[in-house]
Amino acid sequence: MSTTTETGGPGSGTPETERPASATAGPGRPAEQADRTAGSLGAMITAELTKLLRRPATWVLLGLWPALQLVFSTVIPYVSYQRGASFEGLPPEAVLASMLPDQLVLNSLSGLPLFGGALLLTLGALLAGSEYGWGTLKTLLGQGPRRLQVLAAQLLALLVVLAGTVLVSFALTALASGAIAAGESAAADWPTAGRLLRGLGGGLLIAATWGALGLLLGHALRSTALPIALGLVWVLAVENLIVNVAAPLLGAFDTAQAALPGVNAGSLVAALAGPGATLRTPGVAAIVDGTQAAGVLAGFLVLFTALTALLLTRRDVV
């Protein structure tokens, strides 16, 4: 004698709420995917921050930029001043003036458009690319979070770390400038609060743009080595060749350079430094005005984020 079992289909009399999950998941769709929950964004940001801050590479990269910034903007010029020698064509008096507290914004940000940007781009590429190398992204997505939520957590965690790095750069430069002013009995005219806030905001915008580019390259190429290599070539070689070699010779490149992220980063630093500042750091030049530079960088930040979101949501993560 055979026994038949109702499947809960239409007209079977079995309520929808009593059907097993496998029957409601849809054709070709596992039940666990149908019941996925988004999870807490705050918890995911905390997890991304924990991963970042526990990696030795993060501390190396984040420590290099403020350290190099301090050495090249303050320490080396001060040693040159103490010896009574000129520095980059400036007489000793001008060298001293360039290290005083009124130049705090310029001295804290001057390395960010070029050398600091290359380091922060590397950090973004490491954050994204290592997830593919370790196979952790696929595991993470299988536990519930949506892809855009994962990207938001990565980007926000990166912004928190970059904001801290910009603050550290300002703090170290302020300490050095104050010590030099006190030791040389020079006037300590500190920037106003508004100027400091604009400098911090501009520095974070530049850092976030480079970090978002690294994040895009890491997700696009699903690795770390190639994105870092391509990013460094672009920042340190391609843009320099366009600005210093091609732009002076060809009008098309002279016009096109105004749309490059590095050129706009350098122009923003030049604008934040003020009209009387001496611009001697490679990559810092007033090629476009500060308003245009900030707008272009903000556009690049949105573009890089949107492209990363498109890549992450439209293709497999394997």
Side-chain angles (χ1 to χ4, degrees), residues 95-149:
V95 174
L96 176 62
S98 69
M99 296 180 291
L100 295 179
D102 64 321
Q103 300 297 314
L104 174 61
V105 173
L106 175 60
N107 289 334
S108 300
L109 299 177
S110 58
L112 190 52
L114 191 60
F115 304 109
L119 294 173
L120 299 183
L121 185 151
T122 299
L123 179 63
L126 283 175
L127 173 61
S130 59
E131 298 285 357
Y132 295 92
W134 296 336
T136 52
L137 183 58
K138 183 178 179 180
T139 302
L140 174 62
L141 292 175
Q143 293 177 349
R146 303 299 177 181
R147 298 189 183 200
L148 289 181
Q149 193 175 18

Side-chain angles (χ1 to χ4, degrees), residues 193-212:
R195 188 179 170 197
L196 274 177
L197 287 175
R198 288 193 297 272
L200 289 168
L204 179 57
L205 177 59
I206 297 170
T209 303
W210 287 127

